[in-house]
PDB file of all heavy atoms in Angstrom:
ATOM      1  N   HIS A  66      90.836  92.853 115.626  1.00  0.00           N
ATOM      2  CA  HIS A  66      91.054  94.285 115.320  1.00  0.00           C
ATOM      3  C   HIS A  66      91.025  94.440 113.808  1.00  0.00           C
ATOM      4  O   HIS A  66      92.028  94.248 113.125  1.00  0.00           O
ATOM      5  CB  HIS A  66      92.381  94.779 115.891  1.00  0.00           C
ATOM      6  CG  HIS A  66      92.590  96.259 115.768  1.00  0.00           C
ATOM      7  ND1 HIS A  66      92.618  97.099 116.868  1.00  0.00           N
ATOM      8  CD2 HIS A  66      92.760  97.074 114.705  1.00  0.00           C
ATOM      9  CE1 HIS A  66      92.804  98.347 116.475  1.00  0.00           C
ATOM     10  NE2 HIS A  66      92.906  98.352 115.156  1.00  0.00           N
ATOM     11  N   HIS A  68      89.519  96.647 110.279  1.00  0.00           N
ATOM     12  CA  HIS A  68      88.901  97.828 109.646  1.00  0.00           C
ATOM     13  C   HIS A  68      88.262  97.423 108.326  1.00  0.00           C
ATOM     14  O   HIS A  68      88.030  98.265 107.466  1.00  0.00           O
ATOM     15  CB  HIS A  68      89.943  98.924 109.416  1.00  0.00           C
ATOM     16  CG  HIS A  68      90.574  99.429 110.681  1.00  0.00           C
ATOM     17  ND1 HIS A  68      89.911 100.260 111.556  1.00  0.00           N
ATOM     18  CD2 HIS A  68      91.793  99.201 111.240  1.00  0.00           C
ATOM     19  CE1 HIS A  68      90.704 100.524 112.589  1.00  0.00           C
ATOM     20  NE2 HIS A  68      91.849  99.895 112.425  1.00  0.00           N
ATOM     21  N   ASP A  95      90.189 101.601 117.421  1.00  0.00           N
ATOM     22  CA  ASP A  95      90.988 102.833 117.424  1.00  0.00           C
ATOM     23  C   ASP A  95      90.154 104.065 117.772  1.00  0.00           C
ATOM     24  O   ASP A  95      90.508 105.182 117.419  1.00  0.00           O
ATOM     25  CB  ASP A  95      91.667 103.054 116.059  1.00  0.00           C
ATOM     26  CG  ASP A  95      92.623 101.929 115.699  1.00  0.00           C
ATOM     27  OD1 ASP A  95      93.333 101.445 116.604  1.00  0.00           O
ATOM     28  OD2 ASP A  95      92.666 101.534 114.523  1.00  0.00           O
ATOM     29  N   TYR A 168      95.498 109.099 118.581  1.00  0.00           N
ATOM     30  CA  TYR A 168      94.929 109.971 117.553  1.00  0.00           C
ATOM     31  C   TYR A 168      94.377 111.246 118.169  1.00  0.00           C
ATOM     32  O   TYR A 168      93.911 111.262 119.301  1.00  0.00           O
ATOM     33  CB  TYR A 168      93.842 109.213 116.781  1.00  0.00           C
ATOM     34  CG  TYR A 168      94.399 108.049 116.000  1.00  0.00           C
ATOM     35  CD1 TYR A 168      94.157 106.746 116.375  1.00  0.00           C
ATOM     36  CD2 TYR A 168      95.217 108.281 114.895  1.00  0.00           C
ATOM     37  CE1 TYR A 168      94.689 105.675 115.666  1.00  0.00           C
ATOM     38  CE2 TYR A 168      95.759 107.218 114.181  1.00  0.00           C
ATOM     39  CZ  TYR A 168      95.491 105.920 114.565  1.00  0.00           C
ATOM     40  OH  TYR A 168      96.032 104.873 113.870  1.00  0.00           O
ATOM     41  N   HIS A 196      93.984 101.208 121.130  1.00  0.00           N
ATOM     42  CA  HIS A 196      95.224 101.639 120.491  1.00  0.00           C
ATOM     43  C   HIS A 196      95.792 102.653 121.477  1.00  0.00           C
ATOM     44  O   HIS A 196      95.246 103.743 121.647  1.00  0.00           O
ATOM     45  CB  HIS A 196      94.889 102.280 119.129  1.00  0.00           C
ATOM     46  CG  HIS A 196      96.060 102.881 118.425  1.00  0.00           C
ATOM     47  ND1 HIS A 196      96.232 102.770 117.073  1.00  0.00           N
ATOM     48  CD2 HIS A 196      97.104 103.618 118.859  1.00  0.00           C
ATOM     49  CE1 HIS A 196      97.342 103.409 116.707  1.00  0.00           C
ATOM     50  NE2 HIS A 196      97.878 103.928 117.779  1.00  0.00           N
ATOM     51  N   SER A 225      95.590  96.953 121.586  1.00  0.00           N
ATOM     52  CA  SER A 225      95.458  96.695 120.155  1.00  0.00           C
ATOM     53  C   SER A 225      96.830  96.645 119.500  1.00  0.00           C
ATOM     54  O   SER A 225      97.717  97.445 119.830  1.00  0.00           O
ATOM     55  CB  SER A 225      94.642  97.804 119.496  1.00  0.00           C
ATOM     56  OG  SER A 225      93.302  97.764 119.946  1.00  0.00           O
ATOM     57  N   HIS A 226      96.989  95.742 118.557  1.00  0.00           N
ATOM     58  CA  HIS A 226      98.199  95.637 117.727  1.00  0.00           C
ATOM     59  C   HIS A 226      99.473  96.055 118.483  1.00  0.00           C
ATOM     60  O   HIS A 226     100.146  97.010 118.108  1.00  0.00           O
ATOM     61  CB  HIS A 226      98.058  96.414 116.419  1.00  0.00           C
ATOM     62  CG  HIS A 226      97.433  97.784 116.555  1.00  0.00           C
ATOM     63  ND1 HIS A 226      98.004  98.781 117.306  1.00  0.00           N
ATOM     64  CD2 HIS A 226      96.314  98.311 116.013  1.00  0.00           C
ATOM     65  CE1 HIS A 226      97.242  99.859 117.219  1.00  0.00           C
ATOM     66  NE2 HIS A 226      96.213  99.615 116.449  1.00  0.00           N
ATOM     67  N   ASP A 366      94.288  94.253 111.819  1.00  0.00           N
ATOM     68  CA  ASP A 366      94.272  95.715 111.725  1.00  0.00           C
ATOM     69  C   ASP A 366      94.080  96.127 110.261  1.00  0.00           C
ATOM     70  O   ASP A 366      94.478  97.209 109.856  1.00  0.00           O
ATOM     71  CB  ASP A 366      95.573  96.309 112.289  1.00  0.00           C
ATOM     72  CG  ASP A 366      95.464  97.799 112.592  1.00  0.00           C
ATOM     73  OD1 ASP A 366      94.353  98.350 112.525  1.00  0.00           O
ATOM     74  OD2 ASP A 366      96.515  98.413 112.883  1.00  0.00           O
TER      75      ASP A 366
HETATM   76 ZN1  LIG B   8      95.194 101.178 115.731  1.00  0.00          ZN
END
Side-chain angles (χ1 to χ4, degrees):
H66 187 112
H68 298 286
D95 299 320
Y168 295 109
H196 175 140
S225 293
H226 43 62
D366 197 9

